[in-house]
């Protein structure tokens, strides 16, 4: 399973990339607006693309097909690893088809049902992003979308990758991985939590205490 970092924070992306923990990055207008402030968002995206070798999703804000294709084509010029993020709408699906025909990679975002994922795959999306956490928030089982999409994509050998998005905690990652999602995009705090277990800390503390005791005993015996 590939891990993407779901952020536009240069600090977090540098950390995760240097630690070798991520295979790519996803951004959205909310995340980019937070990071960019007064800067040109294109410059922020350019910097992100230089920090990671893998795909970097950048979202269009136009709502009509022509606008999305125009914006997507401009975004794709920023760097070779840009993936154009397109919302799951009728206009969006026409844009995905056109961008794919022109050789651009796309990530269909704001998917909340497996049939939306199927539509996006049929349009030629490189990735589909079902939003797990936001479904859980409204009392639905977000992981069901991943489960159904996996079966459907396997039934028809669809090459579109399932990108589990809106991940809120490590259990989401485990479940998505067990189902066979191709990618999970994680906020930095969730990625950090994947490394942690209290028994690891306790075990390490015990190993060092035992070792230091042995060293002290050996010193005292001299
Ligand atoms: O980037 C899309 C998605 O991962 C957003 O997550 O936490 O805002 O629902 P969240």
């Amino acid at each position: 399973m590939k891990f993407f970092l779901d952020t536009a924070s240069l600090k977090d992306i540098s950390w995760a990339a240097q630690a070798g923990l991520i295979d790519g990055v996803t951004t959205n207008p909310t995340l980019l607006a937070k990071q960019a402030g007064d800067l040109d968002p294109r410059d922020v995206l350019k910097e992100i693309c230089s920090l990671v070798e893998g795909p970097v999703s950048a979202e269009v804000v136009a709502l009509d097909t022509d606008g999305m294709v125009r914006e997507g084509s401009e975004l794709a010029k920023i760097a070779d690893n840009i993936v154009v993020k397109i919302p799951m709408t009728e206009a969006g699906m026409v844009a995905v088809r056109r961008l794919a025909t022109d050789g651009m990679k796309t990530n269909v975002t704001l998917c909340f049902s497996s049939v939306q994922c199927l539509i996006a795959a049929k349009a030629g999306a490189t990735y589909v992003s079902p939003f797990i956490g936001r479904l859980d928030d409204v009392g639905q089982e977000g992981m069901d979308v991943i489960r159904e999409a996996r079966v459907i994509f396997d039934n028809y050998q669809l090459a579109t990758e399932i990108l589990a998005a809106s991940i809120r905690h490590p259990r989401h990652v485990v479940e998505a991985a067990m189902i066979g999602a191709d990618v999970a995009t994680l906020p930095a705090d969730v990625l950090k939590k994947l490394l942690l277990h209290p028994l690891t800390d306790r075990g390490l503390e015990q190993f060092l205490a035992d070792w230091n005791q042995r060293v002290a005993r050996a010193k005292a015996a001299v």
Side-chain angles (χ1 to χ4, degrees):
M1 175 184 243
K2 285 173 275 191
F3 288 157
F4 291 173
L5 202 62
D6 195 26
T7 187
S9 159
L10 300 175
K11 188 168 156 265
D12 288 341
I13 293 166
S14 302
W15 160 74
Q18 274 165 26
L21 294 173
I22 52 167
D23 306 289
V25 168
T26 52
T27 68
N28 61 38
T30 307
L31 296 170
L32 207 52
K34 211 190 290 175
Q35 170 70 30
D38 293 336
L39 302 172
D40 182 343
R42 293 173 54 89
D43 291 339
V44 177
L45 283 168
K46 198 173 185 153
E47 178 120 25
I48 294 173
C49 289
S50 72
L51 292 171
V52 282
E53 280 178 25
V56 174
S57 290
E59 191 162 340
V60 299
V61 289
L63 295 176
D64 62 301
T65 299
D66 286 343
M68 288 185 200
V69 171
R70 204 167 33 246
E71 259 184 56
S73 305
E74 284 307 309
L75 287 168
K77 285 183 196 152
I78 295 175
D80 289 345
N81 49 342
I82 285 279
V83 172
V84 181
K85 217 171 174 187
I86 301 278
M88 176 65 226
T89 60
E90 185 182 335
M93 292 312 94
V94 181
V96 165
R97 212 172 275 283
R98 278 173 47 186
L99 289 164
T101 305
D102 290 345
M104 276 167 268
K105 291 190 171 164
T106 55
N107 173 1
V108 175
T109 188
L110 292 165
C111 292
F112 293 93
S113 74
S114 53
V115 84
Q116 285 182 320
C117 295
L118 176 58
I119 293 283
K122 282 169 67 69
T126 316
Y127 302 96
V128 286
S129 292
F131 277 31
I132 309 310
R134 291 192 194 185
L135 279 165
D136 289 357
D137 290 347
V138 296
Q140 290 184 35
E141 188 55 62
M143 209 51 72
D144 283 350
V145 179
I146 305 279
R147 194 171 290 110
E148 291 174 8
R150 181 72 282 154
V151 173
I152 294 167
F153 284 20
D154 289 349
N155 281 349
Y156 297 100
Q157 285 97 48
L158 297 170
T160 302
E161 295 193 36
I162 299 172
L163 195 167
S166 187
I167 295 267
R168 299 280 164 75
H169 48 71
R171 197 64 212 162
H172 273 156
V173 181
V174 174
E175 285 172 24
M178 284 171 63
I179 292 165
D182 300 284
V183 191
T185 189
L186 319 170
D189 66 314
V190 176
L191 180 63
K192 284 176 187 157
K193 282 182 194 161
L194 298 188
L195 301 168
L196 304 175
H197 196 286
L199 290 179
T200 305
D201 297 341
R202 210 189 300 164
L204 189 57
E205 217 173 277
Q206 186 67 55
F207 285 157
L208 291 180
D210 292 345
W211 184 254
N212 288 337
Q213 243 182 35
R214 182 212 164 266
V215 171
R217 265 200 317 271
K219 267 193 189 150
V222 175

